[in-house]
Amino acid sequence: MATTETRRRADAERNIAAILDAALVSFTEDPQASMAAIARAAGVGRVTLYAHFPSREVLLEAVLDRTIAAAGAVIEKATPGEGPATEALRRLLRSSWHELDQHRKLFDLAQRELGAAALRQRHREVVDHVEALLVRGQQEGVFRRDLPMTWLVTTVYSLLHAAAEDVNAGRLAAEEAAGVLEATLLPALGSR
Amino acid sequence: MATTETRRRADAERNIAAILDAALVSFTEDPQASMAAIARAAGVGRVTLYAHFPSREVLLEAVLDRTIAAAGAVIEKATPGEGPATEALRRLLRSSWHELDQHRKLFDLAQRELGAAALRQRHREVVDHVEALLVRGQQEGVFRRDLPMTWLVTTVYSLLHAAAEDVNAGRLAAEEAAGVLEATLLPALGSR
DNA sequence: AATAAGTCGAACAGTGGTGTTCGAGTTAGC
DNA sequence: GCTAACTCGAACACCACTGTTCGACTTATT
């Protein structure tokens, strides 16, 4: 990951990072954000942006890969494979709801702009973590088995996203988000 | 509602209906659908479209109003004020998940393109029905009171939308949608 | 069968986005 | 302090979309 393909100068490296940061924010705030707007948000000229990312598509892919990697890292940090499944889910929600929401928004965007097929593989990397946790919970007998697994995953992601939207719209305090999610998801997923 | 503002010819009336139908589908399928695409989908010339709806914005508003009216009618048909609240919610889900999802998608789009303020009023008309039902359920003691009301409404809408997406993506059979929603929402909203 | 209402293709101007080129100016690195 | 790497504004061509006008044609209505 840290392999410097072609030796880059420090200021270039800095700008690339700034662009990716700005692009993530811009894309999640407004899926139609223009290259000019992203360059402005990154504090960089439009030409510089194109120098590093030759097209909007390439930029989107780069942001996507970076976000997936970040989401994966944050998930693994929450050790979803350890301890009781309900506890693991709690840890996951507390640490990762924000990252997972960014991942979801970007995924929606990329699905429209890059096509569904190209995305499935990368998407799996993150979703599988959640799915594995849910399966483990089923085996422990604490999560329900009467609904399709895909639906349970959808439920988690969907409410996560809803909470993030509510926080964004000022309808929910950021500190409450994880608690509210817990209180809603556990009964929704729980057996009996 | 049936007041013919300026006497229109029958073929015009027919085209307007076709345009609104096509626009609803187009907008919910792809928020960026162009006027040309909508005209094509309606089987109508682009000029005719502009003759009836002088701008994209006006068209979007018309579709929105029509969908809100339809959603309101479908909701009222499910008599959400009668019988036990859980039963009423079941009826609502069975009859309206599809209409409510269309309403939600259009609302998202309109919020971006027309601004949040202009929409709040119209949005209320539909959301209030759901909220009233949830409040009634709280008074009956069957729905939880430990979370903000706005969040409960968000939860209903969010899962509704998620189910519609899953149906759309082929991950969930349309006939199962209402049942799955019931099985997920009732435990999520229930007291205890 | 006359007339008013409606349809529609072609062609136009205007706007805003993408991606490129050029050339002059900065800045990091040795 | 030299040089190669990098930045960046201005200007360009290109394209897709919006909204308009014109004039010829078709259709509903009486």
Side-chain angles (χ1 to χ4, degrees):
Chain A
M1 184 128 303
T3 52
T4 46
E5 294 180 357
T6 23
R7 261 301 215 210
R8 260 193 287 265
R9 238 170 60 176
D11 54 351
E13 213 88 49
R14 234 184 306 129
N15 278 339
I16 290 175
I19 289 169
L20 287 173
D21 287 345
L24 173 58
V25 173
S26 301
F27 280 143
T28 51
E29 267 178 5
D30 173 16
Q32 308 180 41
S34 74
M35 294 296 259
I38 293 169
R40 214 178 310 124
V44 141
R46 212 165 59 90
V47 182
T48 305
L49 201 172
Y50 277 104
H52 294 301
F53 303 96
S55 77
R56 193 173 200 282
E57 193 173 321
V58 170
L59 175 59
L60 178 54
E61 276 172 4
V63 174
L64 193 68
D65 282 344
R66 190 177 177 246
T67 304
I68 286 174
V74 171
I75 288 180
E76 275 166 30
K77 213 168 174 183
T79 60
E82 293 173 20
T86 56
E87 280 310 315
L89 180 60
R90 278 203 186 92
R91 278 200 307 277
L92 187 65
L93 291 175
R94 301 226 160 257
S95 67
S96 320
W97 65 270
H98 191 240
E99 271 79 9
L100 286 182
D101 178 55
Q102 286 185 330
H103 171 260
R104 185 200 197 277
K105 276 188 180 163
L106 271 186
F107 179 72
D108 281 358
L109 170 57
Q111 188 148 19
R112 271 200 304 275
E113 301 209 356
L114 307 180
L119 271 288
R120 244 183 286 276
Q121 195 57 34
R122 309 185 203 201
H123 191 226
R124 289 263 161 199
E125 292 178 36
V126 171
V127 171
D128 277 356
H129 283 284
V130 175
E131 183 165 334
L133 172 55
L134 293 177
V135 168
R136 190 161 71 84
Q138 285 183 330
Q139 286 162 352
E140 290 177 14
V142 295
F143 290 156
R144 68 198 303 174
R145 302 181 107 116
D146 60 332
L147 296 176
M149 190 65 222
T150 57
W151 171 250
L152 297 187
V153 176
T154 295
T155 299
V156 172
Y157 257 75
S158 166
L159 287 179
L160 211 95
H161 177 58
E165 287 280 281
D166 267 21
V167 168
N168 205 287
R171 287 189 296 269
L172 185 63
E175 314 82 55
E176 292 183 60
V180 164
L181 273 172
E182 247 184 67
T184 312
L185 274 175
L186 290 181
L189 300 177
S191 53
R192 203 55 27 240
Chain B
M1 184 128 303
T3 53
T4 46
E5 294 181 357
T6 23
R7 260 301 216 209
R8 259 193 289 265
R9 239 170 60 175
D11 55 349
E13 213 87 51
R14 233 183 307 127
N15 278 339
I16 290 175
I19 288 169
L20 287 173
D21 286 346
L24 173 59
V25 174
S26 301
F27 279 143
T28 51
E29 265 178 8
D30 173 16
Q32 306 179 44
S34 74
M35 294 295 260
I38 293 168
R40 213 178 310 125
V44 139
R46 212 163 60 86
V47 182
T48 304
L49 201 173
Y50 276 105
H52 294 303
F53 303 96
S55 78
R56 193 190 153 81
E57 194 173 320
V58 170
L59 174 60
L60 177 54
E61 277 171 3
V63 174
L64 193 68
D65 282 344
R66 189 177 179 245
T67 304
I68 287 175
V74 172
I75 289 180
E76 276 166 29
K77 213 169 175 183
T79 60
E82 293 172 21
T86 55
E87 281 309 316
L89 180 61
R90 277 203 186 92
R91 279 200 306 276
L92 188 65
L93 291 175
R94 299 226 162 258
S95 66
S96 319
W97 66 271
H98 191 239
E99 272 79 9
L100 286 181
D101 179 55
Q102 286 185 330
H103 171 259
R104 186 201 196 277
K105 276 188 180 163
L106 270 186
F107 180 72
D108 281 358
L109 170 56
Q111 188 148 22
R112 271 200 305 275
E113 300 209 357
L114 307 179
L119 272 289
R120 242 182 288 276
Q121 195 57 35
R122 308 186 204 200
H123 190 226
R124 288 264 161 198
E125 291 177 35
V126 172
V127 172
D128 277 356
H129 283 282
V130 175
E131 183 165 333
L133 172 55
L134 293 177
V135 168
R136 189 160 72 85
Q138 286 183 330
Q139 286 162 353
E140 290 177 14
V142 295
F143 290 155
R144 67 200 303 176
R145 303 180 106 117
D146 61 332
L147 296 176
M149 190 65 223
T150 57
W151 172 251
L152 299 187
V153 177
T154 295
T155 299
V156 172
Y157 257 75
S158 166
L159 286 180
L160 210 94
H161 178 57
E165 287 281 282
D166 267 20
V167 168
N168 204 289
R171 287 189 295 269
L172 185 64
E175 314 82 55
E176 291 184 61
V180 164
L181 273 172
E182 246 183 71
T184 313
L185 273 175
L186 290 181
L189 300 176
S191 52
R192 193 70 29 246

